[in-house]
C-alpha cells in the first residue's frame, strides 16, 4: 500500500512516500479500514521531529497520523459493533498511529460511525482536537451552566471545539484569537473575545472557574491570575505545576487524549446535528504530507489540515 513514513527523526523532508508498505494486520479486536482522509495535528510534527521519541519508543519505519476516516473492509473475529462497508472515523491508539496510509488497523473501541452529513475530511479532522476539548471540559472540568471559562487559542482546532462544547454546556466563554479568528470564535458563541495581539488577556478576565490552556509557556504562566480561588487550569500543551496550583489554592490538570469510541460517538452526534462545527483549512494529497507539516510548523495554517487518500488501484 501507499504510505507516508519516516525512517529517521528530523524535519519534514523525512516524510517519504512508500509504494509498497505492508498492509497492517487486523487483530481480533480491530477494524481494517480503507482510509479516505487523515487529519494532520501538531502531535504529528512533534512525533516526526523526535520530540516525543522518549515517550513513544517505536521502531522505524513509522507511519504517522493518529486521526482518520474511511470505510471498514474487514473486522476482527471479536468485533460485533461494526461490519465491512461501515463509514467510520477514529483516533488510532497513540502507540500505533498510521493514518498517513491507504489502510490502517484500529481498535474497534477507538472508532465511531461517521454521520452521513459529515464528509470524510471533516470527520478525520475531529478526533484528536475534539476529544482533547471533551476530555478537558466535559470530563475533567465537568463544566456546568453559568460557569466562566477562558479558552486560549479559540480559533485553533482544540480551542474552537472547546468553545462549542462549553456553550453546549451553558457556560460563559471568554477566548483569545486574532485577525480572521475573531469573527470565527464569535460565530461559535464566545461571549468575550480578546485579540491577543492587542490586549493582555489577564487584564480582561478574572474570577474564571476554568482556564483551558492550548499554548503553554507565558500564556499558561499568566493564566493563573485569571482564576478564582479553587479554580481549575487545564492544559493540552504543557503539564501545569501541581506545586504552583496548590500554593495558589487552585487545581491543575494536563490532558492526555486517548481514543475512545463512546466519546467520538458523542462528538459525532453533536457534529451530525450541527452543534459542533469544524473549520477545514488546507487540504492536501497524501503525497504532499510534507507541505502540510511545513505549513503547520510555520504557524500560518488557518483551519484544520487534512490529507486526502486515494483508494488503491484494483
Ligand atoms: N495533550 C493532548 O492530548 C493534546 C490533544 C490535542 C492537541 N494538543 C496540543 O494542543 C495545542 C493546540 O492544538 P491545536 O490542534 O488546537 O493547534 P492549532 O489548530 O494550531 O491552534 C493553535 C491556535 O493557537 C493560536 N495562537 C497562537 N498564538 C497565540 C497566542 N499568543 N494567544 C492566543 N492564541 C494563540 C493560533 O491562532 P492564530 O491562527 O491566530 O495563529 C491557533 O488558532 C498543540 O500544542 C497540540 O499539540 C494536545
Amino acid at each position: 500500500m501507499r504510505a507516508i513514513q519516516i525512517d529517521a527523526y528530523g524535519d519534514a523532508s523525512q516524510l517519504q512516500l512508500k509504494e509498497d508498505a505492508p498492509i497492517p494486520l487486523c487483530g481480533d479486536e480491530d477494524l481494517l479500514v480503507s482510509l479516505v482522509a487523515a487529519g494532520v495535528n501538531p502531535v504529528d510534527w512533534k512525533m516526526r521531529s523526535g520530540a516525543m521519541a522518549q515517550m513513544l519508543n517505536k521502531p522505524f519505519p513509522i507511519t504517522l497520523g493518529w486521526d482518520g476516516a474511511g470505510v471498514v473492509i474487514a473486522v476482527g473475529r471479536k468485533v460485533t459493533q461494526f461490519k465491512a462497508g461501515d463509514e467510520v472515523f477514529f483516533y488510532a491508539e497513540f502507540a500505533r498511529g498510521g493514518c498517513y496510509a491507504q489502510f490502517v488497523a484500529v481498535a474497534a473501541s477507538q472508532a465511531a460511525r461517521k454521520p452521513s452529513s459529515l464528509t470524510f475530511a471533516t470527520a478525520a479532522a475531529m478526533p484528536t482536537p475534539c476529544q482533547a476539548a471533551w476530555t478537558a471540559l466535559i470530563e475533567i472540568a465537568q463544566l456546568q451552566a453559568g460557569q466562566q471559562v477562558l479558552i486560549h487559542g479559540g480559533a485553533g482546532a482544540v480551542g474552537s471545539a472547546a468553545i462549542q462544547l462549553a456553550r453546549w454546556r451553558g457556560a460563559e466563554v471568554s477566548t483569545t484569537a486574532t485577525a480572521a479568528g475573531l469573527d470565527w470564535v464569535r460565530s461559535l458563541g464566545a461571549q468575550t473575545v480578546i485579540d491577543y495581539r492587542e490586549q493582555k488577556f489577564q487584564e480582561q478576565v478574572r474570577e474564571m472557574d476554568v482556564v483551558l490552556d492550548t499554548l503553554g509557556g507565558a500564556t499558561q504562566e499568566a493564566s493563573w491570575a485569571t482564576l478564582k480561588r479553587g479554580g481549575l487550569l487545564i492544559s493540552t500543551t504543557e503539564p501545569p505545576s501541581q506545586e504552583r496550583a496548590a500554593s495558589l489554592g487552585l487545581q491543575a490538570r494536563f490532558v492526555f487524549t486517548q481514543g475512545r469510541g463512546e466519546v467520538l460517538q458523542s462528538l459525532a452526534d453533536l457534529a451530525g446535528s450541527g452543534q459542533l462545527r469544524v473549520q477545514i483549512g488546507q487540504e492536501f494529497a497524501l503525497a504532499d504530507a510534507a507541505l502540510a507539516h511545513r505549513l503547520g510548523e510555520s504557524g500560518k495554517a488557518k483551519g484544520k489540515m487534512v490529507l486526502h487518500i486515494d483508494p488503491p488501484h484494483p
Side-chain angles (χ1 to χ4, degrees), residues 262-280:
E262 71 275 15
V263 174
L264 282 182
Q265 199 58 60
S266 299
L267 293 164
D269 294 344
L270 286 171
S273 62
Q275 295 179 85
L276 178 62
R277 289 186 283 149
V278 176
Q279 188 180 42
I280 301 291

Side-chain angles (χ1 to χ4, degrees), residues 115-191:
S116 57
S117 58
L118 294 191
T119 64
F120 284 102
T122 301
M126 288 176 54
T128 293
C130 294
Q131 283 201 150
W134 180 281
T135 303
L137 297 186
I138 307 302
E139 295 181 339
I140 297 177
Q142 298 183 17
L143 213 54
Q144 305 292 323
Q147 283 193 306
Q148 300 281 337
V149 58
L150 168 62
I151 294 167
H152 287 294
V158 175
S160 56
I163 291 170
Q164 295 172 85
L165 293 176
R167 295 298 295 131
W168 172 62
R169 274 294 168 104
E172 301 281 313
V173 174
S174 300
T175 194
T176 53
T178 196
L182 298 169
D183 285 340
W184 168 238
V185 299
R186 282 192 193 99
S187 78
L188 299 177
Q191 288 110 325

Side-chain angles (χ1 to χ4, degrees), residues 42 46 128 132 153 155-158 176 178 196 214-215 236-237 255 257 302:
K46 292 178 189 175
T128 293
V158 175
T176 53
T178 196
Y196 69 79
T214 61
L215 293 151
T236 61
T237 304
V255 170
T257 303
K302 298 295 171 212

Side-chain angles (χ1 to χ4, degrees), residues 25 47 78 233 242 248:
L25 294 174
M47 179 68 199
K78 293 188 181 165
L233 173 65
Q242 293 301 323
L248 294 167

Side-chain angles (χ1 to χ4, degrees), residues 66-128:
W66 282 269
D67 289 350
V71 181
V72 175
I73 57 167
V75 300
R77 67 182 178 88
K78 293 188 181 165
V79 174
T80 54
Q81 69 272 46
F82 295 101
K83 61 182 186 324
D86 286 347
E87 296 183 346
V88 292
F89 72 118
F90 42 84
Y91 171 91
E93 188 179 317
F94 199 61
R96 231 166 151 179
C99 292
Y100 290 11
Q102 286 179 312
F103 298 98
V104 68
V106 59
S109 62
Q110 295 178 323
R113 281 196 172 65
K114 179 186 81 63
S116 57
S117 58
L118 294 191
T119 64
F120 284 102
T122 301
M126 288 176 54
T128 293

